[in-house]
Amino acid sequence: MTLDAFLYPVELKQEKEVVISKRFLDSDGKPVPFKIRTISQEENEALSKRSVRIKKIDGRQFEVLDDLEYTRRLIVACTVYPDFTNSELCQAYGVMDPLMVPGKMLISGEYKRLLQEIMKFNDFTSAVDLEEEAKN
């Protein structure tokens, strides 16, 4: 065995289009796809670190991952189009923080679908997925 496959790594960032909603239509009346991308583990760790909060329990401080914050950061980081960081888009939805745009823009099912597509494309496997596989 050689290390050739690892010495010349494949590009990490891949992109694909997914239809999240039938509410956003182009001029021909067709749904406009969202473009999502993969992220490296290094990027994922940075998102996690920015999503950690300090909680006090019985006078002791603990670092706890804020799942909601992490999910918001993951969605914004992995969505190429529409660009949730675009100031015009933020203004249109009445927020200054890009992390709030997807929650204002999408209904619950669309938000969940976008997150699921991002998770699947980045090859995340959750405990829920493993449970469902075990049932089948």
Side-chain angles (χ1 to χ4, degrees):
M1 286 199 286
T2 68
L3 294 175
D4 288 347
F6 302 103
L7 294 173
Y8 307 102
V10 182
E11 176 63 35
L12 283 174
K13 293 183 183 172
Q14 299 172 15
E15 294 182 354
K16 79 172 190 175
E17 292 184 345
V18 292
V19 175
I20 298 303
S21 174
K22 294 179 182 172
R23 294 184 309 119
F24 306 103
L25 306 174
D26 65 14
S27 58
D28 296 328
K30 294 179 183 171
V32 176
F34 282 46
K35 186 182 286 187
I36 60 174
R37 73 178 187 97
T38 56
I39 58 171
S40 68
Q41 178 56 24
E42 184 177 45
E43 290 172 286
N44 188 48
E45 288 171 3
L47 295 174
S48 292
K49 284 180 184 176
R50 282 185 267 163
S51 303
V52 168
R53 301 291 172 251
I54 304 295
K55 270 195 169 179
K56 271 191 170 184
I57 303 173
D58 295 330
R60 295 176 53 194
Q61 290 187 350
F62 295 93
E63 288 187 350
V64 179
L65 179 67
D66 182 335
D67 292 332
L68 183 58
E69 178 81 8
Y70 172 74
T71 299
R72 288 175 178 160
R73 290 185 183 283
L74 182 66
I75 287 174
V76 171
C78 291
T79 304
V80 176
Y81 183 80
D83 178 3
F84 295 125
T85 65
N86 179 285
S87 61
E88 189 177 354
L89 196 58
C90 289
Q91 283 179 342
Y93 287 94
V95 296
M96 294 180 68
D97 184 353
L99 298 180
M100 304 311 292
V101 174
K104 295 266 188 190
M105 173 191 243
L106 303 171
I107 60 175
S108 297
E110 294 166 346
Y111 189 94
K112 182 179 178 183
R113 195 165 25 262
L114 177 58
L115 179 59
Q116 286 173 333
E117 289 290 340
I118 288 169
M119 299 285 281
K120 191 172 15 171
F121 195 44
N122 278 279
D123 205 20
F124 286 119
T125 304
S126 70
V128 174
D129 294 334
L130 292 175
E131 265 181 43
E132 285 187 29
E133 281 180 32
K135 287 178 187 176
N136 297 328

